[in-house]
Amino acid sequence: AQSVSQHNHHVILSEAASLELGCNYSYGGTVNLFWYVQYPGQHLQLLLKYFSGDPLVKGIKGFEAEFIKSKFSFNLRKPSVQWSDTAEYFCAVNPGSSASKIIFGSGTRLSIRP
Amino acid sequence: GAVVSQHPSRVICKSGTSVKIECRSLDFQATTMFWYRQFPKQSLMLMATSNEGSKATYEQGVEKDKFLINHASLTLSTLTVTSAHPEDSSFYICSYSSGRDYLQETQYFGPGTRLLVL
């Protein structure tokens, strides 16, 4: 079945540690890829997106993600996390066959120890 | 980015009553909007897609008679949970699509409405 998988449900890091959150999808063909972040008590915000071009995408707040088509992956990275990065992170895919529909992964809760 | 508001932010109701949730786009006109449901510690599940002036398209497993969607204008969409039951308790989130070309668009999300049915 078509799906979006985030393997880490809860990640706990210390400040300044490096971060990589995994995301894999099972859709074939053209896809648009997103990472959304939900800070405690706030609504979903777009962190970064990939539509085409350079597979290494830079987002806000020092985040980046790399689209590896052969691995159906779109992992999120940040070289040095901060306490303010504590949030829920969602990977999402817009299958090219379904106009506008976005399918979300189950989310990864990131907790940063000060 | 676009600003999306939802009202109310939180609602508690008795079982059997109907609840209406409003979703407004504050700074642009949107022809397409989406309603999601998010259960605790789970991801957003798309419930339905609606286009202004036409009937909503519901995802498999979502009861269209229970979750009524009205997208009467380009800036307002409503979700009515009819005859709500405790299992309908959830976090309901709306979003608007930013553009006409789905290959290049982004969705902007409202703050969500937490529904608790007693």
Side-chain angles (χ1 to χ4, degrees):
Chain A
Q2 297 177 323
S3 66
V4 180
S5 300
Q6 291 182 244
H7 311 295
N8 310 105
H9 296 293
H10 191 189
V11 173
I12 303 174
L13 295 173
S14 298
E15 276 193 304
S18 64
L19 168 72
E20 180 160 4
L21 301 181
C23 174
N24 289 89
Y25 62 94
S26 62
Y27 299 95
T30 302
V31 293
N32 300 317
L33 300 159
F34 308 83
W35 275 97
Y36 282 88
V37 59
Q38 189 173 28
Y39 296 104
Q42 298 187 29
H43 63 278
L44 275 170
Q45 301 173 42
L46 181 68
L47 205 54
L48 49 79
K49 61 187 177 184
Y50 171 80
F51 288 150
S52 63
D54 189 343
L56 185 61
V57 180
K58 303 284 187 184
I60 61 172
K61 304 186 180 184
F63 286 91
E64 65 179 29
E66 184 175 14
F67 170 52
I68 302 179
K69 189 174 182 179
S70 61
K71 295 184 178 180
F72 296 88
S73 69
F74 190 56
N75 292 355
L76 180 70
R77 298 195 293 251
K78 185 171 183 177
S80 177
V81 295
Q82 301 173 309
W83 178 79
S84 57
D85 293 325
T86 296
E88 189 93 19
Y89 292 81
F90 294 96
C91 180
V93 175
N94 166 222
S97 61
S98 301
S100 299
K101 182 184 293 189
I102 290 182
I103 310 300
F104 283 84
S106 56
T108 298
R109 179 184 297 181
L110 176 63
S111 299
I112 305 298
R113 292 190 292 251
Chain B
V3 179
V4 183
S5 71
Q6 283 184 239
H7 178 79
S9 58
R10 179 187 294 265
V11 58
I12 302 173
C13 68
K14 292 182 180 180
S15 183
T17 61
S18 294
V19 176
K20 180 184 283 189
I21 302 170
E22 291 186 350
C23 176
R24 291 183 184 272
S25 167
L26 301 182
D27 57 354
F28 74 101
Q29 296 181 326
T31 56
T32 304
M33 60 79 58
F34 308 88
W35 284 96
Y36 293 85
R37 182 168 51 185
Q38 185 180 27
F39 291 105
K41 299 185 179 181
Q42 294 186 31
S43 186
L44 282 75
M45 300 298 295
L46 180 64
M47 298 176 66
T49 302
S50 74
N51 292 297
E52 185 262 341
S54 62
K55 290 184 178 180
T57 302
Y58 290 81
E59 293 300 301
Q60 192 172 9
V62 178
E63 300 174 59
K64 60 182 66 176
D65 294 330
K66 182 169 186 61
F67 298 100
L68 301 179
I69 292 172
N70 186 302
H71 193 171
S73 78
L74 291 172
T75 58
L76 173 65
S77 176
T78 60
L79 168 68
T80 301
V81 183
T82 62
S83 187
H85 291 283
E87 58 266 29
D88 298 324
S89 298
S90 187
F91 196 53
Y92 292 88
I93 304 170
C94 70
S95 74
Y96 278 94
S97 169
S98 66
R100 290 165 290 184
D101 179 358
Y102 74 90
L103 292 177
Q104 294 291 324
E105 70 180 29
T106 300
Q107 288 189 21
Y108 297 93
F109 290 83
T113 296
R114 188 164 301 282
L115 170 63
L116 177 61
V117 185
L118 302 176

